Amino acid sequence: MNAALREAREETGLDPAGVQVFGVLPDLYIPVSDFVVTPVLGWWREQSPVAPVDPGEVAAVFRVPIAELADPERRARLKHPSGFRGPAFLVEGRLVWGFTAGVIDRMLHHAGLERPWDTSREIELSEDAVIVATAERDRARERDGAAGEPSGTART
C-alpha cells in the first residue's frame, strides 16, 4: 500500500498523509504493458493540490462523481490496434482507458455499483493515442528493468 501512495505522489503530487487506505482490489493484468498491478483503494479525506507531475505517466488529473462513472451511457469497450479490448469511460469530454479504466471497472463491479450497459459499444484508439501508449509502455519497462523488477511486474 505504501508503494501505491508513493506512486500517486510521484505521478500527481498527492499528499499520502491525506489518504485513508481501505484495502486492495484483485490484481489487474494490463495486456498492453504486460504488467500485473494490485490496485489500492482509499478515501481522499484531506484534499491536497494534485496535477500531472510526470506527463509520461499521467495525462490529466480530474474528479468525476462515481454516479457518472456508473452511468451506462458513459461506458464502452476500447479497441487497441493490437486487438486488445478493455474498459473505457467517456467523462468530461475525455476518454479514460488503460489501467485507470480497468481499476474503475473492477471497483464498480466489486462494489455492486455496476449497471447493465451496452458491452458492444466500441471505441478505437487514434493513431496518436497508440503512439503515446507505446512510449509510456517502453518507459515503464525501462524503469522497471533499471529498478531490478522482474519483467511483467509493476508495483503500485
Side-chain angles (χ1 to χ4, degrees):
M1 289 187 263
N2 289 334
L5 292 172
R6 183 186 69 245
E7 288 284 323
R9 176 178 217 128
E10 290 171 2
E11 295 174 6
T12 69
L14 174 79
D15 180 359
V19 177
Q20 179 181 346
V21 174
F22 290 130
V24 298
L25 293 173
D27 286 350
L28 181 64
Y29 174 64
I30 312 296
V32 175
S33 65
D34 197 32
F35 290 155
V36 175
V37 182
T38 303
V40 174
L41 185 61
W43 172 46
W44 195 21
R45 62 178 165 65
E46 292 178 29
Q47 295 179 24
S48 58
V50 291
V53 172
D54 181 350
E57 296 287 337
V58 177
V61 177
F62 57 100
R63 295 173 61 167
V64 179
I66 290 175
E68 285 187 41
L69 295 168
D71 180 351
E73 294 301 313
R74 298 185 184 274
R75 300 200 64 180
R77 288 271 172 232
L78 177 114
K79 181 181 177 190
H80 189 275
S82 68
F84 165 77
R85 285 178 168 77
F89 296 84
L90 299 158
V91 291
E92 298 190 12
R94 295 181 165 115
L95 174 63
V96 178
W97 63 285
F99 172 73
T100 302
V103 170
I104 294 167
D105 177 71
R106 295 296 75 208
M107 182 207 55
L108 292 172
H109 175 77
H110 289 290
L113 300 172
E114 186 173 33
R115 295 168 33 202
W117 58 282
D118 181 2
T119 58
S120 68
R121 182 178 181 195
E122 194 168 84
I123 298 170
E124 290 195 41
L125 279 181
S126 70
E127 188 67 29
D128 290 341
V130 173
I131 292 168
V132 169
T134 301
E136 289 175 3
R137 180 200 61 213
D138 292 345
R139 278 194 298 275
R141 285 184 174 162
E142 286 176 17
R143 183 181 62 242
D144 285 348
E149 287 290 330
S151 177
T153 303
R155 304 208 190 285
T156 60

